[in-house]
Amino acid sequence: MKALICNDDGITASGILASKKAVEELCETYVVAPETQQSGIGHALTLYEPLRVNEYTLRDGSKGYGVGGTPTDAVTIALFEIMDEKPDIMISGINTGYNIGKAELTTSGTLGAAMEAASFGIPTIAISLEVTRDDVKFENGAIQVDFNFACKMLNKLTKIVLKKGLPEGIDLLNVNIPANPSDDEFEVVNLSKRMYIPKIEERLDPRGKPYYWIGGEPYESHKPGSDGHALRRLQKTTITPIKIDLTSDMSLLREWLG
Ligand SMILES: [Mn+2]
């Protein structure tokens, strides 16, 4: 059994090593990830720049590959250049910071990498850990994050996926681990309505020309049964089945067209 492990926080992030640690007793692991922080890059693919691949020695002494591009680039290089055969499972993460809600999932690089692997029919898990401090989100391995509980849950889920694969019609699983777990069960939930109200910060460069930082405050509607409610209010480990097919209601469209 072989596992491909990728992320969007970069090859030096501690979360990717946590994923490896969680499953290495179950299968052979290949760690291939972007060289730099790629959070928020979504499912982007690099088509107009050359891609470099560098070998890294991970903190556990094992080998990893850093790809000078996006999470999707890393998955593509892993599947079609580095690995000899298709992996039995792909794991994206463990991301520092949760990935919940309808809007966030389409911008997440963690989900981008997962969608790329899942589109080739590989059973895929995207996994993210809720953190309570904002500075930890882009830590690059420098700040201690406790991944122990997340590793335990990932190990448990990977065993099931390796044994059974995913059910027909489910392309990937989006998993979020609470910061202060209330139990060690998986809570099956849908995606909550969660948007950012953008707050654009304008600053001036040394030549007086303005530049911008996109930030914002989340607007949340966390109904019971959603990932936001279960994760943030109840501190449950959430799991959401995801399909890549974005087709919406065709009969509704036919009716609307008249
Ligand atoms: Mn990230």
Side-chain angles (χ1 to χ4, degrees):
M1 295 285 208
K2 288 181 177 174
L4 168 61
I5 302 174
C6 188
N7 73 353
D8 76 351
D9 291 335
I11 187 79
T12 58
S14 43
I16 198 164
L17 207 57
S19 279
K20 179 179 181 271
K21 213 178 89 190
V23 303
E24 64 190 353
E25 60 158 36
L26 307 172
C27 47
E28 194 184 339
T29 55
Y30 289 77
V31 177
V32 186
E35 282 193 312
T36 57
Q37 177 56 252
Q38 298 285 312
S39 293
I41 205 83
H43 197 178
L45 180 66
T46 303
L47 294 176
Y48 297 102
E49 299 287 336
L51 292 174
R52 306 275 178 195
V53 180
N54 291 307
E55 279 191 20
Y56 278 73
T57 302
L58 305 176
R59 278 192 302 281
D60 68 353
S62 67
K63 187 166 78 175
Y65 299 88
V67 176
T70 67
T72 296
D73 295 332
V75 171
T76 308
I77 296 273
L79 294 180
F80 298 99
E81 187 63 30
I82 294 171
M83 299 185 75
D84 300 329
E85 37 177 4
K86 200 163 130 176
D88 301 282
I89 189 170
M90 188 278 189
I91 296 162
S92 184
I94 299 169
N95 188 65
T96 37
Y98 52 73
N99 276 300
I100 57 170
K102 293 168 193 173
E104 204 159 274
L105 256 59
T106 56
T107 50
S108 163
T110 305
L111 269 292
M115 282 190 270
E116 187 60 21
S119 66
F120 291 104
I122 300 161
T124 298
I125 299 171
I127 179 165
S128 308
L129 171 67
E130 179 185 37
V131 290
T132 47
R133 279 166 52 193
D134 243 20
D135 60 331
V136 176
K137 282 187 188 166
F138 309 118
E139 46 85 35
N140 279 332
I143 299 172
Q144 284 289 326
V145 181
D146 184 356
F147 287 103
N148 283 322
F149 179 74
C151 284
K152 190 177 132 191
M153 296 304 278
L154 178 58
N155 179 279
K156 195 157 123 177
L157 187 60
T158 299
K159 273 183 193 153
I160 304 172
V161 173
L162 287 176
K163 195 172 154 205
K164 298 196 212 174
L166 291 182
E168 189 72 34
I170 296 176
D171 295 320
L172 68 99
L173 303 173
N174 185 44
V175 177
N176 280 282
I177 306 288
N180 299 295
S182 54
D183 59 38
D184 60 359
E185 301 294 318
F186 289 101
E187 187 86 0
V188 177
V189 289
N190 62 21
L191 300 176
S192 55
K193 189 171 175 187
R194 186 169 188 276
M195 298 288 294
Y196 277 88
I197 310 291
K199 193 173 145 265
I200 314 287
E201 217 176 293
E202 184 186 290
R203 298 183 191 175
L204 292 180
D205 76 10
R207 293 174 194 86
K209 194 172 154 52
Y211 63 96
Y212 303 90
W213 283 104
I214 297 178
E217 288 299 317
Y219 158 79
E220 299 175 319
S221 163
H222 290 160
K223 285 202 183 123
S226 71
D227 54 3
H229 186 264
L231 179 82
R232 305 201 57 212
R233 304 267 162 81
L234 308 178
Q235 290 291 295
K236 300 264 191 193
T237 297
T238 64
I239 182 164
T240 303
I242 305 287
K243 267 200 308 199
I244 295 171
D245 185 351
L246 299 175
T247 314
S248 185
D249 190 333
M250 289 193 291
S251 55
L252 187 67
L253 178 63
R254 282 192 196 105
E255 205 181 297
W256 178 82
L257 284 168

